[in-house]
Amino acid sequence: MDVRSGVVLDRLPLVVEKLPGGRLVTTTADFFIDWATESSVWPLTFGLACCAIEMMAAYASRFDFDRLGVIPRGTPRQADMIIVAGTVTKKMAPRIERLYHQMPDPKFVLSMGSCSNTGGPFYDSYSVVKGVDKVVPVDVYLPGCPPRPDALMYAVLKIQEKIKKMSIKDRLPQTQVAIEAMKQAGAV
Amino acid sequence: MLTQYASVLIFLAFGLAFTVGTLVAAFLVRRYRPSLLKYTTYECGEVPVGQSWVQFNLRFYVYALLFLVFDVEVAFIIPWAVVFKELGLFAFVEMMIFIGILILGLAYAWRKGALEWT
Amino acid sequence: MQAELLAKIKESFPQAAEEAAKEGEYRDPAPVLTVPKESLAALCKLLRDDAALAFDYLMNLTAVDYKDRLVMVYQLYSMRLKHKITLKAALPTDGPAIDSVTSVWKGADWLEREVFDLFGVTFTGHPDPRRILLPEDWVGHPLRKNYTREPDRYD
């Protein structure tokens, strides 16, 4: 695990910015990198309950997700978003957490439906997690019970808007935090 | 005569540049966020149990073997197919004998049940 | 189900009492037999093996918590003869235990695991007595009336 390469490349945009004409380079790089990221958001489909049916409908031909570049992946290693569609029970919560950690960065979480937003109609149950944001950090909350497939597509468009604001200049602090955590865990 | 191979060299260079270039571009654009849990083995969210080196069923090997044999046969048939018009009847009959021997082998494997997947 | 079959059951199991069907509630009600819990396993075996009864399908196995007792409910159906019956057995709320009927109907396996998970009824002779719906480290049996719970990190 080479610590240095990550930090060098993350410092590069800050250095380039200070050069004459460097802003042009970083913003153009931002534009293309964000364009590539948002056009190929591949979710790890996590269909747990009824919202999964609406998610499947969004993938099918009538509401076609593929035209947004959204292809479902079965493994977290190839996914960069997780759509939590359905009720999260306490038995399932550690698995969601583990899968979220196994996804490579950049990762986004889309909480679909009332059950994963806040616990939904099963709020008083003994075994329902009151919102998946108690387990993973959520980027976009999509209300509905279940939300229509076109609402799900709108939520993915919102994630694309969030991606458009990402910049390569902001990478350095997060890389340093991650490397610090690994050092404290004794792995580096 | 050597200049005829220049196109092959250009082709090779383009291929290398395309693959290596994509990997280099990805390396430059990629984020680096190591975390301990990210490197754990994937088992649908569970803590992994058991070994990951398991014994595969024999049918995979048998299929691969048969495929390899017929792939090499095709590698022999292709140059023959390019020039067989000029070679005449003798070459045709010779190739048919070659294919016939291999078809006998395929029939034997078929009857023996090597192609059954279940 | 005909009255003579019911009478036949009752002569082998004199403690079985029939509950009166509420008139007009269902179009085709299954007769309900309340039995003491000790004779339940033997009664189930008789119901499955007897040729005139032939209850080969355990449709449902569940429990109801009235505050002073726990009642086990078994709903049986005969595929061949197309009749139904319901068995009820009362258990004390303190340490409820009953014989397992997995030896009679294999499908009772997971149904009994669910009743153990949610009500805490111990089934003697069950091949795999562990929780099925809740996580293994869950404390308590949620569908009991006296169930309370401290909020944890997911609440």
Side-chain angles (χ1 to χ4, degrees):
Chain A
M1 239 172 288
D2 191 2
V3 168
R4 290 163 300 180
S5 69
V7 179
V8 161
L9 284 174
D10 289 336
R11 291 228 163 94
L12 195 60
L14 300 172
V15 166
V16 165
E17 252 209 332
K18 307 229 173 43
L19 303 174
R23 274 271 170 84
L24 181 62
V25 173
T26 45
T27 47
T28 314
D30 276 342
F31 173 70
F32 281 108
I33 293 175
D34 291 341
W35 185 33
T37 312
E38 79 187 9
S39 314
S40 67
V41 181
W42 288 359
L44 170 69
T45 52
F46 212 73
L48 297 169
C50 357
C51 278
I53 307 292
E54 296 295 324
M55 185 173 66
M56 291 181 224
Y59 282 117
S61 55
R62 190 180 192 135
F63 296 100
D64 200 10
F65 245 152
D66 201 1
R67 58 191 158 117
L68 299 177
V70 171
I71 307 178
R73 307 306 293 170
T75 160
R77 307 294 194 193
Q78 299 167 357
D80 45 10
M81 180 168 81
I82 178 168
I83 302 184
V84 184
T87 321
V88 182
T89 51
K90 295 185 182 171
K91 202 168 183 180
M92 189 51 126
R95 279 102 178 147
I96 295 189
E97 199 177 336
R98 213 180 172 87
L99 285 173
Y100 175 76
H101 282 297
Q102 284 176 344
M103 282 165 61
D105 286 85
K107 45 194 174 196
F108 307 94
V109 178
L110 171 64
S111 165
M112 176 181 180
S114 331
C115 285
S116 52
N117 287 351
T118 59
F122 307 112
Y123 186 77
D124 298 314
S125 165
Y126 49 87
S127 72
V128 163
V129 175
K130 316 282 186 279
V132 78
D133 49 6
K134 296 196 188 291
V135 181
V136 292
V138 175
D139 292 293
V140 171
Y141 295 87
L142 173 58
C145 190
R148 281 184 55 103
D150 29 4
L152 181 59
M153 299 181 77
Y154 183 61
V156 172
L157 290 175
K158 279 274 183 250
I159 291 221
Q160 288 185 348
E161 275 176 39
K162 199 165 183 175
I163 294 175
K164 283 189 179 80
K165 297 186 200 131
M166 295 195 323
S167 166
I168 54 176
K169 299 196 290 278
D170 305 323
R171 290 191 188 184
L172 184 62
Q174 290 182 14
T175 311
Q176 284 174 328
V177 163
I179 294 176
E180 267 313 306
M182 288 286 273
K183 280 200 182 123
Q184 280 182 0
V188 174
Chain B
M1 193 214 51
L2 208 56
T3 54
Q4 287 173 341
Y5 287 104
S7 47
V8 176
L9 186 65
I10 294 176
F11 201 50
L12 185 67
F14 252 118
L16 272 179
F18 189 71
T19 49
V20 173
T22 329
L23 291 173
V24 166
F27 172 75
L28 291 172
V29 167
R30 207 159 47 210
R31 281 168 185 72
Y32 182 63
R33 305 259 187 281
S35 96
L36 268 180
L37 264 182
K38 202 182 275 195
Y39 297 109
T40 51
T41 311
Y42 168 67
E43 194 166 304
C44 302
E46 304 267 351
V47 178
V49 291
Q51 298 285 338
S52 62
W53 278 44
V54 294
Q55 194 175 30
F56 276 90
N57 197 305
L58 190 66
R59 59 175 86 118
F60 291 101
Y61 166 74
V62 171
Y63 256 80
L65 191 64
L66 280 176
F67 163 73
L68 187 64
V69 168
F70 287 97
D71 205 29
V72 170
E73 173 187 0
V74 168
F76 281 123
I77 292 178
I78 287 178
W80 165 82
V82 171
V83 293
F84 101 103
K85 255 298 180 38
E86 292 119 36
L87 293 173
L89 183 64
F90 175 68
F92 179 73
V93 170
E94 190 174 356
M95 183 49 92
M96 287 303 119
I97 293 174
F98 174 63
I99 295 180
I101 295 173
L102 286 168
I103 286 185
L104 276 178
L106 176 64
Y108 172 73
W110 196 330
R111 281 302 302 273
K112 273 287 192 181
L115 298 176
E116 288 291 311
W117 190 250
T118 51
Chain C
M1 216 181 74
Q2 289 88 341
E4 61 259 22
L5 291 171
L6 276 174
K8 183 173 167 192
I9 299 175
K10 280 193 211 145
E11 72 183 55
S12 344
F13 287 88
Q15 316 97 324
E18 185 181 346
E19 275 179 26
K22 303 187 190 77
E23 283 307 315
E25 190 170 6
Y26 293 114
R27 185 168 48 96
D28 180 18
V32 181
L33 279 180
T34 310
V35 292
K37 60 180 168 71
E38 291 82 14
S39 47
L40 185 77
L43 176 59
C44 287
K45 224 171 172 41
L46 169 73
L47 289 173
R48 186 195 59 167
D49 294 332
D50 190 285
L53 296 168
F55 285 105
D56 47 7
Y57 180 40
L58 173 66
M59 285 197 292
N60 194 12
L61 198 170
T62 180
V64 185
D65 188 1
Y66 302 100
K67 297 233 180 73
D68 50 346
R69 65 194 193 284
L70 256 172
V71 174
M72 295 287 303
V73 178
Y74 295 71
Q75 289 174 325
L76 312 171
Y77 181 68
S78 170
M79 299 278 202
R80 196 160 55 83
L81 301 170
K82 300 196 184 1
H83 51 227
K84 308 180 191 176
I85 192 173
T86 303
L87 302 177
K88 291 194 184 179
L91 300 174
T93 49
D94 208 10
I98 195 172
D99 288 327
S100 165
V101 294
T102 43
S103 52
V104 183
W105 299 286
K106 267 282 178 301
D109 191 347
W110 278 18
L111 296 169
E112 287 178 352
R113 272 177 72 185
E114 182 186 359
V115 174
F116 163 67
D117 192 8
L118 299 171
F119 286 95
V121 176
T122 321
F123 289 91
T124 53
H126 188 92
D128 190 12
R130 51 191 171 106
R131 287 186 180 269
I132 189 171
L133 295 169
L134 294 166
E136 282 94 24
D137 51 356
W138 194 271
V139 172
H141 300 279
L143 258 54
R144 301 292 300 269
K145 297 285 189 212
N146 54 7
Y147 177 69
T148 56
R149 181 176 58 89
E150 291 294 319
D152 56 15
R153 63 167 280 224
Y154 295 124
D155 286 315

